[in-house]
Amino acid sequence: MAIWLAVMLAAAGLPPEDDKLPRALQADESVKTVEGIIGVRAGVWTGRGFDFVAVRTDSTQASSDQQALFSASLQGGVQFYEHFDILVSFEADIASKITAQVAGAYLGWREHPKERYGKGVPDEVLVYAGAVTGRISVDSPDFGSFKRGVGYSVGLSLGWAISSHLTVQLQGEYRYLRFDYKRDVLSGDTTIGGNTVWAGLGLDFGF
């Protein structure tokens, strides 16, 4: 149909350029229906839920007062029709006595406000939500260990393009991920984590 329309426009003496046709009829190979995304993130995972104090049944106390972990992660996925994202991530978190590993799978919706509003707004805004799971450990003598945690996260990412393929991201995320303590407790905390937030910067490469 697009070919016949172009022929008719040419016969009528009208320019058959793609920008004279509806977007659905444009033969622009640069418009991708599916695009790959890979990115790196660095930030801080923090929350009061990381403050842990428990008195165990063996009359010993286990405690950790660190509430912020440095975080680095790798994220990748696919984007459909410039809007719908499917993403997965793997993250490593560390403080002086705490380490954690978190993996996640997310669905997101991406908008491009700069195309509508012009300067002063991000090139893209991504809202996403998904499931997360991970492990956490405290490096302290006879501290005990925690079970694997399963939870969810909801996030917002603002992006500014620095080239046709690279985008700088400013990201914030609410995360609920709780880890149950494996030892029997007489009093105090029985879990670590729970209601937390993640904030940081990233760099995305689209291909």
Side-chain angles (χ1 to χ4, degrees), residues 137-165:
S137 61
V138 177
D139 183 16
S140 181
D142 195 32
F143 186 92
S145 59
F146 296 89
K147 298 178 182 178
R148 172 179 289 274
V150 178
Y152 61 90
S153 66
V154 179
L156 175 68
S157 181
L158 308 178
W160 288 266
I162 57 177
S163 75
S164 59
H165 294 286

Side-chain angles (χ1 to χ4, degrees), residues 7-112:
V7 172
M8 291 174 65
L9 291 173
L14 297 175
E17 291 91 346
D18 279 349
D19 60 355
K20 302 297 183 182
L21 300 176
R23 180 165 180 159
L25 298 178
Q26 293 180 13
D28 185 0
E29 295 182 356
S30 66
V31 177
K32 296 182 180 180
T33 58
V34 179
E35 182 178 3
I37 301 171
I38 188 168
V40 292
R41 300 283 188 272
V44 176
W45 183 22
T46 184
R48 295 181 63 183
F50 287 121
D51 191 5
F52 182 90
V53 179
V55 178
R56 302 193 306 236
T57 54
D58 58 2
S59 299
T60 59
Q61 177 177 289
S63 65
S64 175
D65 59 1
Q66 295 177 317
Q67 299 183 26
L69 290 79
F70 172 76
S71 176
S73 62
L74 180 66
Q75 187 178 73
V78 291
Q79 176 181 298
F80 299 93
Y81 298 100
E82 300 182 347
H83 291 292
F84 182 66
D85 285 24
I86 299 177
L87 303 168
V88 295
S89 69
F90 178 79
E91 172 185 312
D93 306 279
I94 188 169
S96 61
K97 293 185 179 181
I98 302 178
T99 57
Q101 301 83 39
V102 178
Y106 315 91
L107 298 177
W109 185 262
R110 192 183 303 267
E111 288 290 346
H112 304 274

Side-chain angles (χ1 to χ4, degrees), residues 158-175:
L158 308 178
W160 288 266
I162 57 177
S163 75
S164 59
H165 294 286
L166 290 176
T167 306
V168 175
Q169 301 286 340
L170 175 63
Q171 188 170 348
E173 180 179 314
Y174 165 76
R175 181 181 295 175

